[in-house]
């Protein structure tokens, strides 16, 4: 009798190839089935995706802005220059003499002389205080030598030495290295970058929890179905699969929404920023997210969706056992 | 097919649901399991389907010692058992066809095979015309027959039924029993738990009687 049963079993059970094909087809079916499940409750699905999208968009947007700022300021370190303000009693001829002297120095690339008159004219043009200045009897601005030091990244000390030399000149009133603020800006950007990372990690965790909680509710709603599946021999993997794909879809759509949010924000910012940079006599175009950034965003979002549902399913599926 | 050796089941609450139960069912045999509610019928079926594990003693099903089946193998083990419930355990958001097809989908049958088998199974229980209906639109007897079609669709060598006629009138009950007889005739082992003494007394099958967790009567042994 037993051999008879076994024979019938052999005829009845699907073969290995059929099993593989069924497995693959099953994955595709569940892939779309879980999408269909989401579309059955469009509002709540959309809300979940929006939450994920916004949580992902915040760090992504900040990251994009930061990258733009870094790009904008990237060349600034090499533009270091020393402004040497000359004493008021130095005549134009003396200043020009000094200029040609300094140009001879080995650690100097070039020297640009701005006379007191030029300085005044520039100031009137650019500051908008032109009329106020005419009220003054004399020109309050000193003449300036702009000294460009020979620079490499390691020449920090050499530059400091040059600065000292310039300060000690008899004609110098004051000399300052116009690089301090660039350094400060870089330091600030480092802090901001760290902040964006932390914010990203926290919001990533939030996405994980949102997806986990949503999947937990889905599991509870489909408790009966899970029980029936277990009763008729569904493996844990089989029961888990639709929930994992649901998490996948949440992550996917959340990522798309985040991408849309960031793209539109950057797009709407680009015109005013262009205006601003023109005011600074600077050509700068806000670059939108690169393809790679977009891809990373989408993959991260999907990964978080999958991970969130994995945790929820792992925690709650075992609790549901047929009674 | 089924062998109980001094099997006992004590729940965590301390309640002894089964005590030292011994019996053996040969392949292809059909038997009724009876007793008052709370006598341990459901517990006994749960032990066979690995919904519960024995506290002491052994249960051997289809030459497998159930205490040696690890948790992850349980789904594969259950695929060889068709289980029928008093409350049908059907999924109401799926059609009759999809309900019956579920065990085949789980086991990974090809689309073509699934269609053939589901229709054969529905034909057997006389519901072929209702395959596109939703279970909620069917009568209690029809729902139970859908449950039976689902239990037998992958041709398991063993069928367990827990009060399958609990909610049905005598005529429908007899019909359901007739189906079980048919399965038994083709070599399937069938164990039906029921307290419907009137129904089973008319039928020429073995009766196992439980009382307070003990097997007090086995009609075959008599």
């Amino acid at each position: 009798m037993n051999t008879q049963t076994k024979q019938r079993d052999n005829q009845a059970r699907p073969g290995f190839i059929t099993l593989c094909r069924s497995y693959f087809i099953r994955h595709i079916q569940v892939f779309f089935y879980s999408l269909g499940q989401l579309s059955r409750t469009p509002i709540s699905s959309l809300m979940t995706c929006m939450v994920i999208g916004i949580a992902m968009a915040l760090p992504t947007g900040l990251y994009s802005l930061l990258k733009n700022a870094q790009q904008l300021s990237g060349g600034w370190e090499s533009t270091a220059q020393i402004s040497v303000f000359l004493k008021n009693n130095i005549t134009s001829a003396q200043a020009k003499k000094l200029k040609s002297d300094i140009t001879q120095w080995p650690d100097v690339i070039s020297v640009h002389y701005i006379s007191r008159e030029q300085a005044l004219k520039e100031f009137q043009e650019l500051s908008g205080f032109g009329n106020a200045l005419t009220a003054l009897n004399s020109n309050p601005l000193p003449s300036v030598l702009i000294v460009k030091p020979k620079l490499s990244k390691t020449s920090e000390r050499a530059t400091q030495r040059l600065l000292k030399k310039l300060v000690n000149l008899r004609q110098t009133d004051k000399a300052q290295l116009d690089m301090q603020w660039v350094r400060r800006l870089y330091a600030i950007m480092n802090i901001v970058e760290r902040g964006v990372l932390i914010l990203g990690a926290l919001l990533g965790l939030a996405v994980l929890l949102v997806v986990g909680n949503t999947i937990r509710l889905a599991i509870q709603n489909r408790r009966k179905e899970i029980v029936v599946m277990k009763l008729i021999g569904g493996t844990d993997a089989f029961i888990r699969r639709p929930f994992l794909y649901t998490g996948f879809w949440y992550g996917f759509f959340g990522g798309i929404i985040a991408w849309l949010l960031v793209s539109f924000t950057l797009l709407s910012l680009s015109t005013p920023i262009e205006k601003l940079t023109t005011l600074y006599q600077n050509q700068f175009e806000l670059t939108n997210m690169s393809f790679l950034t977009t891809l990373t965003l989408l993959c991260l979002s999907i990964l978080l969706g999958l991970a969130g549902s994995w945790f929820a399913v792992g925690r709650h599926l075992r609790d549901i056992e047929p009674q | 097919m089924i062998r109980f050796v001094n099997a006992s089941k004590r729940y965590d609450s301390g309640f002894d649901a089964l005590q030292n139960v011994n019996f053996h069912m040969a392949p292809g045999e059909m038997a009724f399991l009876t007793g008052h509610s709370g006598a341990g019928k459901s517990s006994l079926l749960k032990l066979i389907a690995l919904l519960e594990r024995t506290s002491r003693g052994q249960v051997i099903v289809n030459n497998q010692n159930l205490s040696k089946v690890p948790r992850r193998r349980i789904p594969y083990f259950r695929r060889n058992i068709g289980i029928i419930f008093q409350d049908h355990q059907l999924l109401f958001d799926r059609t009759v066809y999809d309900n019956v097809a579920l065990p085949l989908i789980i086991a990974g049958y090809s689309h073509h095979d699934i269609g053939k088998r589901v229709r054969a199974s529905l034909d057997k229980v006389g519901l072929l015309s209702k395959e596109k209906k939703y279970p909620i639109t069917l009568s209690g007897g029809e729902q139970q027959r859908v449950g039976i079609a689902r239990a037998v669709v992958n041709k398991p060598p063993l069928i367990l039924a827990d009060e399958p006629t609990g909610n049905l009138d005598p005529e429908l009950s007899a019909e359901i029993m007739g189906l079980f007889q048919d399965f038994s005739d083709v070599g399937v082992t069938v164990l039906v738990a029921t307290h419907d003494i009137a129904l089973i007394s008319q039928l020429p099958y073995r009766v196992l009687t439980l009382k307070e967790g003990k097997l007090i009567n086995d009609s075959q042994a008599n």
Side-chain angles (χ1 to χ4, degrees), chain B residues 17-23 32-36 39-41 44 197 207-222:
Chain B
L18 291 172
Q19 295 176 46
N20 286 320
V21 174
N22 288 287
F23 74 94
F32 290 108
L33 181 64
T34 189
H36 295 292
K41 301 191 295 289
L44 195 146
I197 310 282
V207 178
L208 300 162
T209 311
L210 284 170
K211 190 181 181 191
E212 289 166 0
K214 295 185 183 104
L215 190 62
I216 54 163
N217 192 21
D218 183 346
S219 65
Q220 195 185 53
N222 290 344

Side-chain angles (χ1 to χ4, degrees), chain B residues 3 7 11 20 84 108-109 129 142 162 179 187 200 206 212:
Chain B
R3 185 183 291 278
Y11 286 100
N20 286 320
I84 293 146
Y109 282 81
S129 59
E142 286 171 330
D162 191 3
L179 281 173
I200 61 180
R206 181 180 176 187
E212 289 166 0

Side-chain angles (χ1 to χ4, degrees), chain A residues 226-228 230-231 320-323, chain B residues 46 51-52 78 89:
Chain A
I226 294 171
V227 167
V228 171
K230 285 196 172 183
L231 280 173
I320 302 176
E321 280 293 336
Q323 289 300 311
Chain B
K46 280 178 184 171
L51 292 165
E52 299 281 358
R78 282 195 196 136
Q89 297 276 16

Side-chain angles (χ1 to χ4, degrees), chain A residues 22 82 109 111 192:
Chain A
S22 304
I82 298 170
I109 296 174
V111 181
V192 172

Side-chain angles (χ1 to χ4, degrees), chain A residues 125-162:
Chain A
E125 271 175 13
L126 296 178
S127 70
F129 288 115
N131 290 334
L133 283 176
T134 51
L136 295 171
N137 296 334
S138 62
N139 181 358
L141 299 174
S143 48
V144 184
L145 290 178
I146 307 288
V147 178
K148 260 204 156 149
K150 211 171 263 175
L151 268 186
S152 63
K153 283 225 158 134
T154 53
S155 62
E156 170 96 31
R157 267 222 204 114
T159 315
Q160 289 298 332
R161 244 193 338 262
L162 178 63

